[in-house]
């Protein structure tokens, strides 16, 4: 499963706000091979975007610091590389797209020029060649009448079309790695289906490895080769899509899946996760899920390591795979 | 069960969106000739793409806005004709839950005052009675009476939505309309709020009208579903049947777009190309014909009426009887046995945890 030299090798990434007791993102590790899609899934505030921003060197100007860890990508450590090295990588070998395209598109610039500029920022090519590349990219993201659209402004496009433009721009320089942070969350389900199809097809065509961030397990099942489930800044379960969906072992993964209404039919009352996520300035020191976990015991006052459970599958829970847990054994774990 | 509590007849609502100095104003037909019956005690869902008129329809049904044409009948009266005491009674009996109940509320009022406000407006009860009622409502939605003294910003999204529900329930409504009441919430919190809504509906015998864009939530919570496209209802029927055997091509396309959280679900799903047409100039004939994979010449010329080809199903498609459409494959959404066993473990432990916490009468803020 694990390639001897993955395209991206993230080890022990921790991110902290200076002066706080516990890191916001804690000891996150994963690998990604060329052509693979990894989905990072978890609820609001669990550190998905921070992880992505750290990898792209975009925490600059925030109170957040990478405290520890490495992320080797084509011989460069993304977490310690100099700002100008990262600037050279971004939009070239590694690209990112965001949930809300309007925040990353320049409203005053025609979309053709924006894509052409993204190309010329990294390639020394003439203007008309860059414009031709922009037209080609718009075609590849299946924007109808691409030639005409080049001269339109972002506000003239629908949300789905803008997201296509973002994808076109991100892929314009044939990146080896694409990070997409909730690229379809703001879209209707019908438009989401179009964008997901597009991203899957382009991924297959170009071999671009993708990290897709989402809170939707349906999107995960449809897109991912590998999955990392995050809770409160930590990866609690990781594995292939089949492992995580067919053999889920972390109580949070189970709770998350149980919370989702099923399309299969009536499942009666939803089996929920009690409570809500810990606040970032009050992170528990042990297992961060303990206060909400039906399986918690005194042991859970210590942080569980993300331990292997078969090839490629790893779970951070003292009681995984839960089969030996006797109901009634649960203890309240002080935060 | 099949008694009608509210019915809409030929509802039309137009908005003027642009008034040029010369020439005709631009008009959006947000709701176009909608007729439907809401049944006493049911949960009716309204679904469709953004801008198709769901919120406008919900507002028309509760007279938050007036129709351009058509009428809404509640208890054999046209709600447009109500005024004074009768209108106040209507407001008491129909309540709204918004996506973020606080975006429209005064942040300087305590939660208790916010929940009490509808009671004061409708002059229900004495001050101590109202306070007791507020405490009871907070408990009903899984919060604590002490929360009444706090301010909105001190609460999480899920807690705020519970407060929104408590406020909506204060006047003892018969019909509660939720416009995306759980859409802004995380999955785990959404599940808690969905359970609360279902429990309260049961306990209080409410009729619910729910708008949501998550079709799995719709499938779970509703008895019947109305599918809207460009201001019109194109299909309406029993939720389970409609998801299993859609009769309108648009419903089929909508269902095919749902990402299914199970392995092996990966598929090419684009049944609908492009965006919905501009509601300012909807296509002639069947409004869906420009995106419909089954469209024939007739679809471009003739508007299909909302018909009743089989009991309990209404469809607006010329070819509903001839088409054989695909619904959600329930087998695909089902969990494999091995996973099922582990979910049973979780469910069991979860129930024991809830039991243990109630035994200790430990106050639990959530759930
Ligand atoms: N600039 C910042 N300063 C301080 N804390 C921050 C900052 N940005 C994010 N955080 C905190 O870091 C935590 C993780 O945030 P992050 O944006 O990574 O979450 P996420 O998983 O992407 O959530 P969502 O699904 O809501 O996008 C949150 O608790 C957030 O409040
Ligand atoms: N007050 C208004 N003035 C002008 N146009 C309006 C107004 N309210 C709604 N519309 C238009 O009417 C149409 C239907 O809007 P509505 O808000 O009912 O849709 P919706 O289905 O609730 O969409 P969403 O899922 O985005 O909430 C849209 O084209 C919208 O722009
Ligand atoms: S009436 Fe025609 S265009 Fe409309 S949905 Fe049916 S087949 Fe398609
Ligand atoms: Mg995020
Ligand atoms: Mg709406």
């Amino acid at each position: 499963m694990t390639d001897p030299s993955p395209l991206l090798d993230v080890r022990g990434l921790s991110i902290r706000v200076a002066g706080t007791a516990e890191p916001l993102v804690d000891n996150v590790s994963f690998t990604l091979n060329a052509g693979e899609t990894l989905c990072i899934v978890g609820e609001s505030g669990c550190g998905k975007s921070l992880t992505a921003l750290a990898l792209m060197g975009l925490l600059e100007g925030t109170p957040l610091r990478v405290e520890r860890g490495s992320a080797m990508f084509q011989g460069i450590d993304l977490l310690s590389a100099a700002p100008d090295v990262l600037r050279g990588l971004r939009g070239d070998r590694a690209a990112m797209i965001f949930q809300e395209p309007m925040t990353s598109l320049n409203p005053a610039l025609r979309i053709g020029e924006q894509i052409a500029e993204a190309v010329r920022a990294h390639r020394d090519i003439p203007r008309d060649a860059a414009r031709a590349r922009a037209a080609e990219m718009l075609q590849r993201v299946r924007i109808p009448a691409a030639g005409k659209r080049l001269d339109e402004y972002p506000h003239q496009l629908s949300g789905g079309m803008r997201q296509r433009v973002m994808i076109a721009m991100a892929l314009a320089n044939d990146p080896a790695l694409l990070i997409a942070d909730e690229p379809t969350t703001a879209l209707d389900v019908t438009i989401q289906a179009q964008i997901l199809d597009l991203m899957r097809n382009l991924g297959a065509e170009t071999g671009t490895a993708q990290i897709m961030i989402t809170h939707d397990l349906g999107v995960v099942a449809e897109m991912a080769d590998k999955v990392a489930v995050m809770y409160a800044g930590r990866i609690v379960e990781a594995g292939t899509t089949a492992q995580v969906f067919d053999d889920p072992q972390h109580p949070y993964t189970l709770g998350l899946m149980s919370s989702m209404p099923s399309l299969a039919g009536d499942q009666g009352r939803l089996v929920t996760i009690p409570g809500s996520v810990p606040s970032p300035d009050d992170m528990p020191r042990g297992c961060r899920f303990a206060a909400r976990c039906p399986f918690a015991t005194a042991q859970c006052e210590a942080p569980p390591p993300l331990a292997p459970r078969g090839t490629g599958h790893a779970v951070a829970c003292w009681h995984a795979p839960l089969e030996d847990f006797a109901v009634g054994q649960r203890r309240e774990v002080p935060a | 069960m099949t008694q009608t509590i509210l019915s809409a007849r030929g509802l039309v609502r137009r908005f003027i969106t642009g008034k040029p100095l010369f020439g005709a104003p631009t008009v959006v037909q947000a709701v176009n000739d909608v007729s439907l019956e809401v049944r006493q005690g049911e949960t009716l869902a309204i679904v469709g793409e953004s801008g198709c008129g769901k919120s406008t329809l919900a507002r028309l049904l509760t007279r938050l806005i007036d129709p351009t044409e058509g009428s809404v009948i509640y208890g054999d009266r046209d709600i447009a004709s109500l005024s004074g005491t009768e209108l106040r009674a209507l407001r008491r009996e129909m309540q709204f839950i918004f996506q973020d109940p606080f975006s429209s509320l005064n942040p300087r009022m305590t939660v208790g005052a916010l929940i009490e406000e509808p009671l004061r407006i409708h002059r229900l009860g004495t001050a101590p009675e109202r306070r007791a009622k507020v405490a009871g409502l907070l408990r009903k939605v899984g919060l604590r009476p002490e929360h009444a003294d706090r301010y909105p910003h001190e609460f999480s999204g899920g807690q705020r939505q519970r407060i929104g529900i408590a406020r909506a329930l204060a006047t003892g409504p018969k019909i509660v309309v939720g416009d995306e009441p759980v859409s802004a919430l995380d999955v785990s919190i959404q599940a808690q709020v969905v359970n609360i809504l279902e429990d309260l509906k049961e306990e209080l015998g409410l009729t619910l009208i729910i708008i949501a864009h998550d079709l799995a939530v719709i499938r779970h919570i509703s008895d019947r579903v109305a599918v809207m496209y460009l201001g019109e209802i194109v299909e309406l029927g029993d939720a389970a049947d409609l998801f299993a055997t859609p009769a309108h091509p648009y419903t089929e396309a909508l269902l095919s777009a749902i990402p299914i959280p199970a392995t092996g679900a990966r598929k090419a799903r684009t049944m609908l190309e492009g965006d919905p047409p501009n509601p300012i100039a909807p296509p002639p004939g069947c409004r869906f014909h420009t995106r419909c994979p089954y469209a024939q010449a007739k679809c471009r010329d003739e508007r299909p009426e909302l018909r009743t080809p089989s009991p309990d199903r209404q469809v607006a498609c010329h070819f509903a009887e001839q088409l054989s459409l695909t619904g959600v494959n329930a087998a695909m959404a089902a969990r494999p046995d091995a996973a099922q066993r582990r979910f049973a473990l979780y469910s069991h432990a979860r129930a024991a945890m809830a039991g243990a916490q109630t035994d200790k009468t430990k106050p639990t803020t959530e759930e």
Side-chain angles (χ1 to χ4, degrees), chain A residues 17 24-25 42-51 53 61-64 99 181-182 213-215 230 278-280 283, chain B residues 186:
Chain A
V17 180
L24 280 177
V25 170
E43 293 179 287
S44 192
C46 70
K48 306 182 295 294
S49 296
L50 288 188
T51 302
L53 293 173
T62 71
L64 300 155
Q99 174 174 344
D181 190 355
E182 311 248 12
I213 292 173
T214 177
H215 60 262
M230 280 187 84
S279 107
M283 283 292 182
Chain B
D186 266 322

Side-chain angles (χ1 to χ4, degrees), chain A residues 129-194:
Chain A
R131 188 177 157 91
R133 177 68 175 161
E136 183 198 334
M137 289 313 299
L138 288 188
Q139 241 152 25
R140 281 186 59 193
V141 296
R142 321 231 201 303
I143 289 189
K148 267 187 274 172
R149 297 282 182 164
L150 282 176
D151 292 320
E152 292 191 349
Y153 291 94
H155 71 89
Q156 292 173 284
L157 303 175
S158 68
M161 286 298 159
R162 277 184 218 136
Q163 203 52 281
R164 282 172 197 262
V165 171
M166 286 298 302
I167 295 170
M169 194 143 78
L171 296 181
N173 292 316
D174 286 324
L177 172 66
L178 174 68
I179 302 182
D181 190 355
E182 311 248 12
T184 60
T185 302
L187 304 173
D188 268 319
V189 64
T190 49
I191 310 300
Q192 164 170 285
Q194 296 171 3

Side-chain angles (χ1 to χ4, degrees), chain A residues 9-11 55 69-82 85-86 89:
Chain A
D9 188 353
V10 180
R11 293 193 191 177
L55 293 176
S70 64
M72 293 309 293
F73 169 72
Q74 299 188 333
I76 298 170
D77 179 6
L78 298 175
L79 301 182
S80 64
V85 173
L86 291 170
L89 275 178

Side-chain angles (χ1 to χ4, degrees), chain B residues 50-56 59 99 179-180 211:
Chain B
S50 178
C52 71
K54 304 180 295 292
S55 298
T56 304
R59 278 155 211 256
Q99 181 162 341
D179 193 349
E180 308 271 7
I211 298 171

Side-chain angles (χ1 to χ4, degrees), chain A residues 43-44 158 188 190 194 197 200 222 224 246-248 257 268-270 272-273 275 292 321 323 327 332, chain B residues 49-50 186 188 192 195 199 219-220 259 263 266-267 269-270 272 274-275 335 342 346 350 352 357 367:
Chain A
E43 293 179 287
S44 192
S158 68
D188 268 319
T190 49
Q194 296 171 3
D197 277 351
R200 191 164 41 224
E222 298 219 347
D246 298 346
D247 183 22
M257 290 178 175
R269 224 166 168 280
L270 296 173
T272 58
I273 303 173
R292 305 174 76 187
E323 263 87 11
V327 167
E332 288 295 332
Chain B
E49 284 161 296
S50 178
D186 266 322
S188 72
Q192 296 169 359
N195 281 349
D199 292 349
R219 170 72 183 85
H220 178 80
T263 37
R266 184 182 294 209
K267 56 190 193 295
R269 290 166 303 127
T270 307
L272 283 185
D275 296 304
R335 290 170 179 139
R342 210 157 280 129
Y346 179 85
R350 174 73 186 88
Q357 291 185 337
E367 181 79 64

